[in-house]
Amino acid sequence: MARAMQLLYATKTVWAVILALLVGSILMLMAGANPIAAYRSLFGEAFFDYYGFGATLVKFSPILLAGLAVAVPLKAGLFNVGAEGQIYMGALFCAIAALYLPEMYWPLHLLICALAGALGGAFWAAIAGYLKAYRGINEVIVTLLLNYVGINIVSYAAGGPMMEEGAPYPYSAEIPASLFLPHIMSPTDAHIGAIIGVLLAIVLALALKYTTFGFAVTTVGSNPQAARYAGIWVQRQMVATMALGGALAGLAGAFEILGVKYRLFHMFSPGYGFDGIVVAFMAAANPILVPVAALFFSGLRSGAQFMQRASGVDSTVVDAIQGLVVIFVAASLAIKFSDSRWAGSWRSAGRWKRP
């Protein structure tokens, strides 16, 4: 019995996703559609069609990096809900570096643009990290509000000083073609940022497990008092961890400029930063699992349009499924079978003991 409960708890996120898909099926039946055909078109096009999978990878890169941007601070007990604003600031810094720096050898210029994007996101997240560490201000509130500040700063830049002359919509001039990220599935827009994101997830997982930085992060997240006793500068670690999360989100914004948009657009992100929050919780803040959760979410986003065309199910059903995933994942995180009253009654009756 205990092993069964442990297995159920370990796979709680999988069960949350399955429940969301089942409830989504009920919504489709109520709309008069065939859920099996709808899901076949959604997942078939998103993952098993060449062009559909290319579209999935385009969304996979920013969602993956945004998920890592949330997952890493979670290890330190910090809730970064500002990945969306950090994506925008990363895109702004990247666009400035791409458009206004002197001409130079293109690999160096490309690296500088990517680093500028990471710096922009890190700076934006470090504000919340500093206020949390040294002023005790809740980082959830600060990062949430900074989202809107960052979005509006980019809107001002794209529609003001950086706006291309004669443009019908707020966007900047196009960056030099030499700075375009290489594509990995031509002629789709899938670019090398997806591979870089996966590599970063692996590096972060190893760093958190085997380095002193990772030990400091997890110790601060588990017990700040014990971390202070161990000689860890807790405030500095908080700021550094938030800045690292922001750098990952800023890199997502930079890759959107360098690999997809090639310009700084007003309101260019469809909410990748908020998707990253769900992805991080689906992966239980484990960097190795973040790419899996991000790929699933990217498939939902890219497959929605195919599902609508093939089965007539409105794409808003996918939005409902995403919302249901959020609800069920949040509920699964709140349930700890080993600490529930039900589990306690089993233990008190002597029928279930901790292994």
Side-chain angles (χ1 to χ4, degrees), residues 113-161:
C113 291
L115 291 176
L119 178 63
F123 164 71
W124 211 239
I127 297 173
Y130 173 83
L131 292 175
K132 169 68 174 181
Y134 293 97
R135 294 293 182 267
I137 301 176
N138 190 293
E139 77 279 9
V140 175
I141 297 174
V142 177
T143 51
L144 181 63
L145 295 178
L146 283 176
N147 281 330
Y148 302 101
V149 178
I151 291 170
N152 281 286
I153 288 174
V154 170
S155 296
Y156 165 75

Side-chain angles (χ1 to χ4, degrees), residues 104-302:
M104 63 185 77
Y105 186 47
W106 72 265
L108 177 61
H109 197 177
L110 183 60
L111 178 62
I112 290 174
C113 291
L115 291 176
L119 178 63
F123 164 71
W124 211 239
I127 297 173
Y130 173 83
L131 292 175
K132 169 68 174 181
Y134 293 97
R135 294 293 182 267
I137 301 176
N138 190 293
E139 77 279 9
V140 175
I141 297 174
V142 177
T143 51
L144 181 63
L145 295 178
L146 283 176
N147 281 330
Y148 302 101
V149 178
I151 291 170
N152 281 286
I153 288 174
V154 170
S155 296
Y156 165 75
M162 295 180 67
M163 185 173 179
E164 185 173 35
E165 187 175 353
Y169 185 82
Y171 59 73
S172 70
E174 187 175 83
I175 65 174
S178 60
L179 298 179
F180 293 2
L181 286 178
H183 286 182
I184 57 176
M185 291 183 64
S186 184
T188 72
D189 290 330
H191 54 78
I192 199 172
I195 297 175
I196 295 174
V198 173
L199 293 176
L200 284 173
I202 296 172
V203 170
L204 286 169
L206 294 174
L208 288 171
K209 187 172 183 179
Y210 295 111
T211 67
T212 55
F213 171 78
F215 172 77
V217 168
T218 54
T219 304
V220 169
S222 301
N223 193 327
Q225 295 300 326
R228 289 189 180 92
Y229 184 78
I232 298 171
W233 190 349
V234 173
Q235 288 88 347
R236 185 174 67 179
Q237 196 65 48
M238 285 182 174
V239 177
T241 307
M242 280 294 289
L244 176 58
L248 293 164
L251 192 61
F255 285 170
E256 283 296 286
I257 299 297
L258 301 172
V260 182
K261 307 296 185 183
Y262 308 125
R263 302 173 187 266
L264 181 67
F265 279 87
H266 160 76
M267 300 295 291
F268 67 87
S269 171
Y272 292 136
F274 299 111
D275 288 345
I277 299 172
V278 184
V279 163
F281 278 96
M282 285 180 64
N286 186 340
I288 286 293
L289 297 180
V290 168
V292 179
L295 189 63
F296 171 76
F297 236 69
S298 304
L300 284 182
R301 274 195 172 273
S302 66

Side-chain angles (χ1 to χ4, degrees), residues 18-30:
I18 292 173
L19 284 173
L21 294 176
L22 288 174
V23 175
S25 299
I26 296 173
L27 296 177
M28 293 178 192
L29 288 171
M30 293 173 61

